[in-house]
Amino acid sequence: MNILAELRQRFRMALAGLVTEAARRAEEAGESGSVRAVLEDLERFLAMVRPAQDPRFGDFQANCAMPLAKLLGSKPRDVAADLVAQLDVADLCDPPEVAGPGFINLRLRDDWLAEQTARLAADERLGVARVESPRNYVVDFSAPNVAKPMHVGHLRSTVIGDCLCRVLRFLGHDVTSDNHIGDWGTQFGMIIYGFKHFREGAAYQREPVAELARLYRLVNQLSDYHEAVAAAPRLQQQLEQKRSELEAAQAQAAGDKAAER
């Protein structure tokens, strides 16, 4: 059971009863606009039923009496008392308390909590229902670079991804888990090139994985260097073009200033 949703539903019925009574009085007085405003904004008032911020005041709290009082032209504590009189939560909560300017404090009954806990403990799904409309999910996780040693970051991603898959499957969805390692041909090509040209035999005999990782980083740096060298003429040409455009713009600006003088 979603306790908050259940309490809001109970408050919905209580508000309906409160509004009905207020509508009767307003009709007798020839004023019904404020009552219509309550009906039109009912969801806003229900959203004010929420978990209590301070456990000393209970488990849940309803703060809707104050804004309701403004619309209904009544005192907040009176509105809170009328709302409590309409509220049917005896099976869930101890008697509601009106506190301060009109807060309604709710505390769940110990015996009800014990009953619900025992029921959940006996249920293999712990009270979690399957979704009504299952969906297909693809969860891509872990995905290490196969040319580099794995580390704790990959473990973290794997645990999170597997957790998501388990939760979705438990809810009834169809889940495909994917450990996508990407296009690894380039990575292994770089390791092979480094192994042939830059391998340190003693280091490789002592710690082969660490040496292969060093070779991968080295060849990666060389690749970046050669790409930068190849791009240098094009970038130099772009730089010269931008410099010429800047000089032309500065010359035009200087000519415009001279013309203004």
Side-chain angles (χ1 to χ4, degrees):
M1 174 191 293
N2 185 321
I3 300 176
L4 180 57
E6 180 64 23
L7 285 174
R8 285 178 174 172
Q9 182 59 29
R10 304 288 183 95
F11 268 89
R12 182 188 297 277
M13 294 185 288
L15 282 168
L18 180 69
V19 170
T20 300
E21 178 61 23
R24 184 188 62 77
R25 294 196 300 264
E27 186 175 352
E28 292 176 354
E31 299 176 358
S32 59
S34 60
V35 176
R36 284 199 300 270
V38 174
L39 293 173
E40 293 170 357
D41 212 9
L42 191 59
E43 294 302 323
R44 179 171 73 90
F45 298 119
L46 292 175
M48 296 179 186
V49 180
R50 55 174 66 98
Q53 295 182 350
D54 190 333
R56 292 178 301 173
F57 302 133
D59 300 308
F60 294 89
Q61 189 175 63
N63 304 334
C64 52
M66 284 75 80
L68 275 171
K70 292 182 180 180
L71 289 174
L72 299 177
S74 301
K75 295 180 180 179
R77 284 187 65 91
D78 292 342
V79 172
D82 291 342
L83 192 55
V84 166
Q86 297 280 349
L87 187 62
D88 181 14
V89 291
D91 58 325
L92 299 177
C93 305
D94 293 332
E97 299 176 354
V98 177
F103 299 114
I104 301 174
N105 295 328
L106 302 162
R107 190 179 301 277
L108 297 173
R109 288 173 43 177
D110 291 341
D111 59 339
W112 183 84
L113 285 173
E115 179 185 345
Q116 296 300 312
T117 302
R119 184 178 62 81
L120 292 177
D123 183 3
E124 63 178 9
R125 293 189 56 82
L126 298 177
V128 179
R130 295 181 181 274
V131 294
E132 295 181 359
S133 302
R135 302 179 62 181
N136 296 323
Y137 285 92
V138 177
V139 182
D140 178 17
F141 60 95
S142 194
N145 184 336
V146 293
K148 298 171 65 176
M150 295 186 69
H151 55 82
V152 69
H154 297 105
L155 179 62
R156 175 176 178 269
S157 172
T158 301
V159 170
I160 293 174
D162 186 59
C163 178
L164 291 174
C165 290
R166 289 170 180 263
V167 169
L168 290 169
R169 290 192 181 107
F170 185 75
L171 291 175
H173 297 292
D174 183 21
V175 181
T176 300
S177 59
D178 180 32
N179 176 25
H180 182 66
I181 59 177
D183 300 324
W184 48 268
T186 300
Q187 289 93 322
F188 273 95
M190 294 168 70
I191 287 181
I192 292 171
Y193 183 84
F195 187 85
K196 286 184 175 180
H197 298 282
F198 305 111
R199 180 180 79 257
E200 294 181 2
Y204 180 72
Q205 292 297 325
R206 185 172 59 254
E207 292 186 79
V209 175
E211 175 63 7
L212 291 177
R214 184 191 71 84
L215 294 174
Y216 175 77
R217 292 193 299 270
L218 175 61
V219 177
N220 202 15
Q221 292 173 353
L222 287 174
S223 298
D224 293 341
Y225 169 76
H226 287 297
E227 288 180 2
V229 170
R234 176 176 55 81
L235 296 175
Q236 184 64 33
Q237 183 180 3
Q238 292 178 356
L239 178 61
E240 295 297 333
Q241 180 180 352
K242 295 299 182 182
R243 183 179 289 120
S244 299
E245 292 175 357
L246 177 60
E247 293 174 352
Q250 291 174 337
Q252 182 178 354
D256 294 341
K257 289 182 178 180
E260 290 176 359
R261 294 194 190 97

